Amino acid sequence: MNKEILTNERLGEQYIRVVHPSGLTILLCPMPDFATTYALFGTNYGSVDNCFKTDPQAEFTKLPDGIAHFLEHKLFESEDGDAFSLFAETGASANAYTSFDKTCYLFSCTDAFIPSLKALLTFVQAPYFTQQTVEKEQGIIGQEIRMYEDSPGWQVTFQLLEALYHDNPVKVDIAGTVESIAQIDADLLYRCYHTFYNLSNMVLSIAGKFDPDEALAVIEENLKPAEPKPIFFPPYTEPTEPVTSFAQREMDVSMPLFQLGFKIPPEEEPAAFLRQQYELEMLHELLAGTTSSFYEEMLRRGIINVNFCSEVFAGRGFLTSMFGGESEDPAALQQALLARIQEVREKGLDPADFQCAKNAMYGRMVRGLNDVENVATAMLNARMSGVELFDTVEIAASVTLEDVERRLCQLTPDVMALSVIRPRSRG
Amino acid sequence: MSHQPFHRVPLGEEIYFTTIPAAQFKTNLLGIHLVLPLTRETISGCALVPLILEQGTADYPTFQSFSKKLGQMYGAAAGSTVTKQGDRLVVSLHLSALDDSFALEGEALLAESAKLLCDMLLRPVLKGGAFDDTTFAIQQKYLLDAIEAEINDKRRYALQEMVRLLFGDEPAGLSKLGYAEDIRAMTPASAADTWRWMLDTARIEIIHVGRGDAAPARKIFRDRMAPLIRHPGVLPETNIHQGSGPVKTGESRFDVVQAKLCLGFRSEVGPKSPMLDAMRMMTAVLGGTPTSKLFLNVREKMSLCYYCAANFDRTKGVLMIDSGVEPDQVEEAKAAILDQLRQMQEGDFTETDLTHARLSVLNTFRSMTESPYITGAYYLGQILDGTALTPEDQCRRLEAVTAEQVAQAAGMLRLDTVYLLTREEK
């Protein structure tokens, strides 16, 4: 096993990286002052990865929307029962989640770490699907999809993604639709499993109170390696302009919810992509964050309230600069934000404000190492983005004012869309 | 108990400073908690005032200048919360900043945080004794919007409605966001009067969680707060009782696809009850984990709901069960939930159920000290309950709970309220 210790002087922190012969990357950060241990076993596979091929010569295959999430639900079931029952024996709290570009299985425990780790490694590597269990799950996930249909915050975001993206899979709900999941069967699940749950496409990340050598011995005993499989995805072909620049619908909300987005092509190289995200994050803060004159003015004019916030919404194959919140007049906010962008393009950014935003970002990163869950998650996320956690700190530290100003030209009206959820008119 | 889990010292009349050393964190969290009686007359002001105080100080009078100050302190986070603790209200201001050891220029961030937090409480932006007009107007509107926005999250809304119905006229039934008509009637001057009243009468608990040396921060709080001339009142004890009369029911209809069913049960099991640990175990076996009876039976086996969970509020002795169900399966789901509770009362659960629940509850308690906010909230709870148990003390007590006690705890619950949020009739 290839074992390295990664260190960062700035933070005075270190962790262990092991690349197992199976291709699995293992990241271990012992934090002996904490009472808990948090372990994540994840695959670089999420809802956007529904079109792929494993043979470079073949055509791309498209699978039903929501299959990655469906697979996550089903992996919790083995021939002998539910994976939760394995963790019930140890007292660990287990869970799983599927995002746009990853699926992770996790547990947090204060005792019985070794048996919990065994349980995690065992159930994730033991797929068991039958037609009968798949059908039952279609009912349960159908309920979950319905729950999100009633969530205005979720709907305003997906309405924006549908307005922005022509055929990018990010615009489809992570759980799919009732219709799409009806097309899923056991064979399709096995096919996805054997493609994406190959250890070379996976990361195991552990932080907290544990002995790394003991953990490595258990991991070694419980891995089921398979021949690494290359996976190919179609190239980014998203047109520059949105499908529509405005979308709205009515729901039971008290005041209009909005989400404004700028569609930006993601940088291809991993470090460049992360850098792009940090630059945009700082730009968001300087343009419209709580330290900006814009935020203060919008608040004073009553166009936004303190729920206004921004996000660099990014993952494999997509990046959108988002600004959202509640407003009686989302169109006025849109106009004002565009005017603000134009003003900053003409006048430039204030170096003192830039330094303040950079300090705040450094603080957020240190703060992010405040608990075991964050550390394990940050190590895994960085690795799946193609870098290491400490690289992310250094990339953020190296961003300059000029880098941030350069990103301004990506926030233009022709790549923008506005999504609004209006209160239902009660007649 | 072998040791005092925290160090609490008086700084002035009904003002206490508690430090919870926690070397594992890279930050220091400071919180000032004003403990007040919960009344219909004062709740709205108490909800609005912290929203104004968190927007700036006399030295940083605009939100922009205040935010920049926090940004310079490496993105320190300041904010406020309002929570109900039984029949009492806790209004909190907090500030979290990196520990001094991570400051790039050697800044004394903990001391600076203490000063800034004192200023947030003691030196707000005032003009002629009233709050700043614009900040007042922005936050008044924000609070009114938040009250209206309660319907956006149907799960939480349904649970709140159930709680309101359950408590009826008791203080705990009041909305912690306050009441729109009262908030509309407030002015920058009347809100500032409420602020003065809060400062004058509240019991004040200051809590520090982190690795930094608390002594300089404590001195700052002492110097700033001890000279205050105050008239703290006697805090009312929370009324915990079983209730009586027929089951209360409520229903609302919205344009939703999934219905929310909430059941509320009362008991006399409060923070100091000898049955509290048994009730916690009972809640876990019934609906506190993914291997609980509600989850495994009502969700997994019977597919009657997407979620179905039980929570116990020790401050009022109330058990809440909330579930997301298909609108045409509400009655079946309700019967299934009540049947699971009946099984608990009859002792119809296995030793394994109990072991699994116990491991899960112990895990939860032992994880309490893993985040500064949760640690702070946990010990504030201990202080307000008048107890001084560490999570490890709690674990020892939970380990001693027997199956008979769990069944006995289940038997102490009385169904009080059923609330349903469902779709509009076609």
Side-chain angles (χ1 to χ4, degrees):
Chain A
M1 277 195 284
N2 171 3
K3 184 171 163 185
E4 292 164 87
I5 295 178
L6 308 179
T7 54
N8 183 281
E9 300 288 328
R10 206 185 289 267
L11 302 174
E13 295 284 335
Q14 60 177 47
Y15 65 90
I16 301 163
R17 176 180 64 190
V18 176
V19 181
H20 188 266
S22 63
L24 176 70
T25 301
I26 304 161
L27 306 169
L28 306 171
C29 184
M31 296 165 74
D33 288 339
F34 284 81
T36 56
T37 319
Y38 192 90
L40 276 164
F41 194 13
T43 163
N44 216 345
Y45 171 51
S47 69
V48 297
D49 304 313
N50 65 350
C51 187
F52 65 93
K53 59 185 180 183
T54 47
D55 171 0
Q57 309 306 322
E59 296 284 308
F60 284 105
T61 340
K62 167 96 170 60
L63 294 179
D65 290 326
I67 191 160
H69 173 258
F70 203 100
L71 187 51
E72 174 229 301
H73 269 234
K74 284 325 296 168
L75 258 197
F76 265 90
E77 208 164 287
S78 71
E79 208 163 347
D80 327 311
D82 197 306
F84 279 124
S85 61
L86 295 173
F87 291 101
E89 304 282 342
T90 71
S93 156
N95 213 334
Y97 61 84
T98 308
S99 69
F100 290 101
D101 58 4
K102 27 181 116 50
T103 310
C104 293
Y105 302 84
L106 59 99
F107 71 83
S108 150
C109 70
T110 50
D111 295 294
F113 165 68
I114 292 294
S116 302
L117 179 60
K118 267 188 203 163
L120 179 69
L121 292 165
T122 307
F123 91 83
V124 174
Q125 295 183 94
Y128 172 73
F129 317 123
T130 66
Q131 205 43 42
Q132 193 195 359
T133 62
V134 167
E135 278 166 24
K136 184 168 163 281
E137 201 66 30
Q138 282 161 342
I140 292 176
I141 295 181
Q143 290 262 7
E144 185 175 346
I145 293 171
R146 280 193 194 92
M147 194 165 75
Y148 283 109
E149 279 173 18
D150 289 338
S151 163
W154 190 256
Q155 294 304 321
V156 75
T157 301
F158 276 94
Q159 183 175 259
L160 172 68
L161 294 171
E162 278 171 31
L164 283 173
Y165 288 97
H166 291 260
D167 58 0
N168 192 305
V170 73
K171 69 182 194 169
V172 183
D173 192 320
I174 291 168
T177 62
V178 173
E179 295 74 34
S180 74
I181 61 167
Q183 299 160 27
I184 293 172
D185 59 30
D187 286 346
L188 279 181
L189 290 176
Y190 277 115
R191 185 167 160 202
C192 285
Y193 182 85
H194 291 302
T195 305
F196 292 103
Y197 284 67
N198 187 292
L199 291 174
S200 61
N201 195 42
M202 298 179 75
V203 176
L204 177 63
S205 177
I206 308 173
K209 184 188 69 173
F210 72 105
D211 174 348
D213 291 325
E214 215 182 344
L216 281 173
V218 172
I219 295 165
E220 180 67 48
E221 273 166 34
N222 288 278
L223 289 184
K224 294 185 191 164
E227 198 56 35
K229 245 185 210 179
I231 306 165
F232 304 91
F233 296 108
Y236 185 85
T237 52
E238 183 62 34
T240 320
E241 68 285 350
V243 179
T244 171
S245 59
F246 181 66
Q248 66 169 336
R249 54 180 282 214
E250 291 186 347
M251 285 181 79
D252 266 330
V253 292
S254 55
M255 76 185 278
L257 257 64
F258 71 92
Q259 195 68 260
L260 178 73
F262 297 87
K263 177 169 66 174
I264 299 171
E267 299 281 352
E268 276 182 27
E269 198 266 320
F273 183 35
L274 267 180
R275 198 184 171 85
Q276 179 184 28
Q277 294 173 47
Y278 293 136
E279 289 166 2
L280 282 165
E281 245 173 66
M282 280 189 230
L283 182 58
H284 282 193
E285 178 54 42
L286 294 165
L287 277 175
T290 52
T291 56
S292 68
S293 54
F294 173 81
Y295 185 96
E296 181 97 11
E297 189 199 334
M298 289 298 106
L299 210 53
R300 284 181 179 263
R301 282 172 55 194
I303 292 177
I304 59 170
N305 62 24
V306 294
N307 286 338
F308 178 75
C309 65
S310 72
E311 183 191 352
V312 178
F313 173 82
R316 191 161 40 254
F318 62 91
L319 193 159
T320 295
S321 260
M322 286 189 184
F323 299 84
E326 297 166 345
S327 176
E328 295 295 350
D329 192 353
L333 182 275
Q334 171 176 335
Q335 260 191 339
L337 185 64
L338 287 172
R340 166 75 179 159
I341 292 167
Q342 191 53 39
E343 178 202 320
V344 176
R345 282 175 93 163
E346 285 161 15
K347 292 188 191 157
L349 291 164
D350 175 18
D353 289 350
F354 171 74
Q355 196 49 48
C356 179
K358 212 169 153 175
N359 269 5
M361 181 174 260
Y362 162 77
R364 269 202 301 282
M365 287 190 152
V366 178
R367 194 186 286 274
L369 306 177
N370 228 3
D371 68 66
V372 300
E373 174 176 347
N374 278 347
V375 171
T377 309
M379 290 193 300
L380 177 130
N381 286 350
R383 180 67 204 177
M384 286 196 177
S385 313
V387 298
E388 293 297 341
L389 173 59
F390 296 145
D391 299 332
T392 65
V393 178
E394 294 310 310
I395 291 170
S398 70
V399 170
T400 67
L401 176 72
E402 293 69 37
D403 294 335
V404 174
E405 280 178 342
R406 253 198 308 278
R407 291 292 166 197
L408 273 167
C409 65
Q410 292 188 307
L411 306 183
T412 53
D414 57 317
V415 301
M416 181 188 67
L418 174 64
S419 158
V420 179
I421 302 287
R422 290 199 180 283
R424 192 174 298 284
S425 31
R426 291 222 167 199
Chain B
M1 210 176 52
S2 54
H3 61 102
Q4 272 296 109
F6 49 77
H7 185 56
R8 179 167 176 259
V9 292
L11 297 185
E13 202 187 354
E14 286 295 88
I15 304 176
Y16 303 90
F17 182 92
T18 300
T19 186
I20 298 149
Q24 68 270 38
F25 302 129
K26 295 180 166 52
T27 55
N28 289 291
L29 171 68
L30 291 171
I32 302 183
H33 309 278
L34 307 181
V35 190
L36 294 152
L38 190 46
T39 71
R40 178 68 172 78
E41 292 68 38
T42 53
I43 179 74
S44 299
C46 290
L48 180 55
V49 167
L51 293 176
I52 296 170
L53 301 182
E54 71 174 20
Q55 294 285 298
T57 68
D59 295 335
Y60 304 99
T62 63
F63 187 56
Q64 188 188 4
S65 60
F66 184 61
S67 300
K68 279 190 179 172
K69 172 67 185 164
L70 295 170
Q72 281 153 8
M73 293 169 70
Y74 303 95
S80 71
T81 53
V82 176
T83 45
K84 291 193 287 183
Q85 177 88 6
D87 291 337
R88 299 168 175 180
L89 187 72
V90 183
V91 176
S92 309
L93 293 176
H94 45 79
L95 206 158
S96 157
L98 291 193
D99 184 64
D100 298 4
S101 55
F102 294 99
L104 298 174
E105 312 280 338
E107 299 96 321
L109 293 171
L110 176 52
E112 219 174 314
S113 300
K115 285 180 201 151
L116 195 58
L117 189 62
C118 280
D119 280 351
M120 285 168 69
L121 179 67
L122 304 173
R123 293 180 62 226
V125 188
L126 291 172
K127 280 175 200 151
F131 284 134
D132 171 64
D133 287 350
T134 318
T135 306
F136 172 86
I138 289 169
Q139 295 302 74
Q140 181 190 40
K141 178 169 187 310
Y142 172 71
L143 186 55
L144 290 168
D145 290 345
I147 292 171
E148 274 193 51
E150 283 190 293
I151 62 161
N152 292 6
D153 180 345
K154 301 293 184 294
R155 181 173 179 177
R156 201 180 333 159
Y157 177 81
L159 206 49
Q160 273 169 3
E161 287 300 294
M162 189 278 284
V163 165
R164 278 171 206 176
L165 200 56
L166 182 135
F167 289 127
D169 294 334
E170 291 176 53
L174 294 167
S175 166
K176 68 175 185 178
L177 293 180
Y179 294 86
E181 61 274 25
D182 297 351
I183 293 162
R184 266 187 223 106
M186 293 175 84
T187 64
S190 72
D193 287 340
T194 302
W195 163 68
R196 283 185 204 94
W197 169 80
M198 289 164 73
L199 266 186
D200 187 50
T201 60
R203 183 169 125 197
I204 302 179
E205 298 283 351
I206 303 162
I207 298 182
H208 161 243
V209 182
R211 64 160 72 180
D213 176 12
R218 185 168 56 226
K219 181 172 184 319
I220 291 166
F221 284 110
R222 189 192 298 275
D223 291 349
R224 299 288 304 277
M225 316 265 295
L228 297 177
I229 298 161
R230 300 184 346 108
H231 306 86
V234 177
L235 285 169
E237 287 298 321
T238 292
N239 184 11
I240 299 167
H241 61 92
Q242 258 209 317
S244 58
V247 175
K248 301 193 274 280
T249 57
E251 188 179 296
S252 310
R253 291 182 182 269
F254 288 96
D255 179 27
V256 291
V257 281
Q258 192 184 66
K260 315 283 172 195
L261 174 68
C262 302
L263 308 181
F265 301 81
R266 280 187 186 263
S267 77
E268 288 173 351
V269 180
K272 290 184 174 165
S273 162
M275 288 303 287
L276 175 61
D277 302 294
M279 191 62 94
R280 282 182 165 143
M281 289 292 301
M282 195 308 290
T283 308
V285 176
L286 178 64
T289 73
T291 51
S292 67
K293 289 171 79 74
L294 290 178
F295 192 94
L296 282 188
N297 295 300
V298 185
R299 181 187 132 123
E300 294 288 311
K301 284 206 187 105
M302 301 161 91
S303 289
L304 281 172
C305 44
Y306 179 66
Y307 63 86
C308 189
N311 281 291
F312 184 72
D313 173 3
R314 72 177 189 289
T315 64
K316 287 292 286 182
V318 167
L319 180 87
M320 292 163 280
I321 296 178
D322 81 319
S323 61
V325 299
E326 283 289 312
D328 42 19
Q329 289 185 320
V330 169
E331 284 308 315
E332 273 172 278
K334 184 178 149 194
I337 291 168
L338 292 174
D339 189 51
Q340 293 299 318
L341 179 64
R342 183 191 52 77
Q343 290 180 21
M344 292 299 305
Q345 290 164 342
E346 290 171 2
D348 188 1
F349 52 88
T350 63
E351 200 51 46
T352 313
D353 288 338
L354 195 61
T355 307
H356 290 175
R358 193 181 332 257
L359 287 171
S360 166
V361 179
L362 295 182
N363 194 53
T364 304
F365 272 103
R366 291 191 172 125
S367 306
M368 290 270 175
T369 48
E370 297 296 277
S371 117
Y373 285 93
I374 297 173
T375 305
Y378 172 81
Y379 282 109
L380 178 64
Q382 289 299 309
I383 292 168
L384 297 181
D385 285 351
T387 48
L389 299 170
T390 62
E392 213 38 60
D393 296 329
Q394 306 267 18
C395 290
R396 273 193 290 277
R397 293 164 58 138
L398 289 158
E399 274 168 348
V401 172
T402 64
E404 292 68 38
Q405 289 169 329
V406 169
Q408 199 191 335
M412 296 171 80
L413 292 163
R414 189 187 140 270
L415 179 62
D416 185 282
T417 304
V418 178
Y419 176 82
L420 174 68
L421 184 157
T422 190
R423 69 181 169 209
E424 280 152 357
E425 274 166 290
K426 294 270 156 71

